[in-house]
Amino acid sequence: MNRFIIVGAGGHGKVIADNALKNGYTDIFFVDDNATGECMGFPIIGRCSELEALNDGNTDFIIGIGSNAIRKRIAEEHSINWVSLVHPSVQVAVNVSIGKGTVIMAGAVVNACAQIGEHCIINTCAVIEHDNVVGSFAHISPGAKLGGTVCVGDLTHIGIGATVSNNINICSSCIIGAGAVVVSDAVECGTYVGVPARRSE
Ligand SMILES: CC(C)(COP(=O)(O)OP(=O)(O)OC[C@H]1O[C@@H](n2cnc3c(N)ncnc32)[C@H](O)[C@@H]1OP(=O)(O)O)[C@@H](O)C(=O)NCCC(=O)NCCS
């Protein structure tokens, strides 16, 4: 089993470390620009500027940072062995594609023919229904549910517990607030909250 390095020793990084353990990784390390020492007992071995030096051909990397914009910046700055990580409890149907760098957390369901881009977070118990297209660097928060044939643009954040009705398109770089219910397309970049969800800014 390769060495596993998580970029970002914060809360999201910790959940990824547990996910990695459940996937059988044993040599787990963190890299962080703002912390040293250890995280959850795993050593913090360097900074982002050292990622290329750590890319030795026997190491798998993932970004453990919740900010979509920061994940994008780090992924684009470092051409290394980014891998995807799927918790063993996740239900992944047939004909699903999952891009490199994407992490899928415990209890999520990804149904048939869904396409998930690169460096996404499909968080705890999220539901990605059939034929969804989730753009790169998107984050589908814990307990959020996307109905069938939903399209989520790059860098969009679907908040915790939000629901998106089937056949809805949400454009890039949107924020859908916690608990929102989206029943019409979000065609303009911005923050949408409430039931039904309305653009608030
Ligand atoms: C929508 C959101 C991004 C707004 O954050 P913000 O810009 O800091 O907004 P504020 O907290 O200042 O709230 C502004 C107003 O919107 C309201 N509001 C905030 N979030 C709301 C939500 N999810 N639904 C309905 N109204 C909301 C506030 O009550 C406030 O209303 P007021 O002006 O009448 O007092 C944020 O509240 C949210 O829902 N984030 C998602 C968090 C999440 O999913 N976390 C999971 C991480 S794993």
Side-chain angles (χ1 to χ4, degrees), residues 127 143-147 150 158-166 168 170 176-184 194-197:
V127 174
K145 295 179 172 61
L146 311 182
V150 162
I158 308 290
I160 190 163
T163 300
V164 182
S165 198
N166 53 308
I168 294 292
I170 299 175
I176 305 297
V181 177
V182 184
V183 294
S184 55
V195 182

Side-chain angles (χ1 to χ4, degrees), residues 123 139 141-142 157-160 175-180 191-194 200-201:
N123 224 322
H139 177 185
S141 289
H157 178 199
I158 308 290
I160 190 163
I175 298 171
I176 305 297
T191 300
Y192 294 75
V193 297
S200 65
E201 62 182 60

